[in-house]
Amino acid sequence: MLEPAKNQPNSLVGVVPSTATEELIRQLVPPPEFVKAHFENYRPDPNFPSQQAAVERSKQFVTGPVRKLFSKSEAIPGIYLDGGFGVGKTHLLASIYHAFSGRKAFGSFLEYTSLVGYLGFSQAVSSFSSYALICIDEFELDDPGDTMLMSRFLKELSEKGVRFAATSNTPPNALGQGRFAAEDFKREIQGLGERFEIVSVDGEDYRHRDSSQDSRNLSELELSDWIGYQEDGFLEDFDALLAHLGTLHPTKFRKLIDQVGSLAIKNLHQLEDQVAALRLVSFVDRLYEQQIPLRTSGKVPATKVFSETMISGGYRKKYLRAVSRIGALCELY
């Protein structure tokens, strides 16, 4: 019996997406994994009552408080879902987005900071000032510059009546530690944190993924065979891919992988350059949102692409999240 013919893989190198400002903003919606996320299909763990409480507080954020006679209570201007890895915070954030009836946007912290940098601060404020709700997934607190930028951005928008919902950026190895980032969040966004209701979401990682487990590294022949039988497969040399990503603004990474069904990366090696590593983190986030299967070959497994110095440094949370997501993508078929 004849085997089916292999497909000729494509390459991202040389592809330069053209994305207008309006399209960049239209992209700010929940990723495919959470398109159908609603309060009704969130499954709170009965062993952690804070999860059901978080559902109720999130619903109240959308609908506004129950008003009593002569009460001056107002709608909560912001809600911050603070908790561990894999307890469903993004599901709840997407549920808030879907239940909210006004003009709204949903994106990661890195997407917003990249977009503000791309548009310029004044244009970004102008573009989002007509929105009623901004949802921010994985609010970052490990980069003082980005944190200050986002704090100023939220302050400007809050004065225009925009409301916010956000989740914390707890690393995957901090399971079970309780209220992870709440106090840091309130302090770092310089007074605006007092306008957020902090809602704890305790629990265990529902994915039960061992973030210390390495992904499988294929031989170059195995990698070639695997990508050859994938629909819309792309085969990249690691250094060439990194160099190409360096020519693009991170806001264009989502459009770049629009046609990618599966991704194979050869000649993978551990990174020492922080700039390239952080750029790869942004790229991995986009791959994870689209749930694109990933396989690699090279000197190290994909989950070891960041050096120990990086993992133990100031961007630890970013790198640990990326490692976890890389591991998940390497298990997809």
Side-chain angles (χ1 to χ4, degrees), residues 213-254:
Q213 184 176 353
D214 289 337
S215 60
R216 182 180 170 226
N217 212 22
L218 305 181
S219 70
E220 197 157 323
L221 179 59
E222 289 174 321
L223 187 71
S224 178
D225 282 343
W226 178 79
I227 198 63
Y229 291 108
Q230 305 303 311
E231 291 293 329
D232 300 317
F234 282 68
L235 174 62
E236 311 295 341
D237 174 79
F238 187 50
D239 285 333
L241 176 62
L242 288 177
H244 183 56
L245 293 179
T247 69
L248 303 174
H249 195 274
T251 54
K252 298 191 176 185
F253 289 175
R254 182 178 287 177

Side-chain angles (χ1 to χ4, degrees), residues 24-65:
L24 288 173
I25 295 176
R26 282 199 303 270
Q27 289 178 359
L28 292 175
V29 296
E33 183 183 1
F34 296 103
V35 164
K36 296 182 179 180
H38 295 283
F39 294 124
E40 291 72 24
N41 55 27
Y42 178 83
R43 296 289 179 260
D45 187 335
N47 295 314
F48 296 94
S50 65
Q51 292 190 13
Q52 181 60 46
V55 173
E56 299 307 318
R57 296 308 296 160
S58 297
K59 286 180 179 178
Q60 192 172 68
F61 171 77
V62 173
T63 60

Side-chain angles (χ1 to χ4, degrees), residues 110-125:
L110 285 175
E111 282 186 284
Y112 285 111
T113 53
S114 295
L115 193 55
V116 172
Y118 183 74
L119 299 178
F121 188 83
S122 296
Q123 186 180 346
V125 170

Side-chain angles (χ1 to χ4, degrees), residues 84-276:
F85 182 76
V87 296
K89 301 187 305 296
T90 301
H91 186 122
L92 287 174
L93 188 66
S95 299
I96 289 171
Y97 174 91
H98 291 307
F100 196 87
S101 57
R103 195 176 186 195
K104 55 201 174 182
F106 183 109
S108 69
F109 179 90
L110 285 175
E111 282 186 284
Y112 285 111
T113 53
S114 295
L115 193 55
V116 172
Y118 183 74
L119 299 178
F121 188 83
S122 296
Q123 186 180 346
V125 170
S126 175
S127 297
F128 285 99
S129 61
S130 61
Y131 279 67
L133 174 68
I134 303 293
C135 294
I136 309 161
D137 198 24
E138 303 287 355
F139 201 103
E140 300 278 1
L141 297 168
D142 52 8
D143 187 313
D146 282 349
T147 303
M148 186 177 298
L149 175 70
M150 202 62 175
S151 175
R152 184 180 163 214
F153 182 60
L154 297 187
K155 185 175 185 297
E156 292 272 348
L157 293 180
S158 70
E159 291 172 355
K160 301 178 184 298
V162 181
R163 299 172 73 200
F164 310 101
T167 69
S168 63
N169 63 341
T170 304
N173 66 338
L175 302 180
Q177 290 184 13
R179 287 140 185 79
F180 302 91
E183 293 307 315
D184 290 338
F185 174 79
K186 291 173 72 174
R187 180 183 66 251
E188 294 295 338
I189 65 170
Q190 302 172 0
L192 192 61
E194 297 302 326
R195 302 196 64 199
F196 281 76
E197 179 179 0
I198 308 296
V199 177
S200 176
V201 190
D202 300 304
E204 297 176 353
D205 183 356
Y206 73 92
R207 288 162 287 203
H208 300 292
R209 187 182 304 123
D210 180 2
S211 61
S212 66
Q213 184 176 353
D214 289 337
S215 60
R216 182 180 170 226
N217 212 22
L218 305 181
S219 70
E220 197 157 323
L221 179 59
E222 289 174 321
L223 187 71
S224 178
D225 282 343
W226 178 79
I227 198 63
Y229 291 108
Q230 305 303 311
E231 291 293 329
D232 300 317
F234 282 68
L235 174 62
E236 311 295 341
D237 174 79
F238 187 50
D239 285 333
L241 176 62
L242 288 177
H244 183 56
L245 293 179
T247 69
L248 303 174
H249 195 274
T251 54
K252 298 191 176 185
F253 289 175
R254 182 178 287 177
K255 187 69 177 290
L256 177 68
I257 62 171
D258 254 359
Q259 305 303 315
V260 179
S262 300
L263 179 63
I265 302 176
K266 63 182 180 179
N267 300 324
L268 196 79
H269 58 83
Q270 195 166 79
L271 289 173
E272 298 294 341
D273 177 36
Q274 191 98 264
V275 174

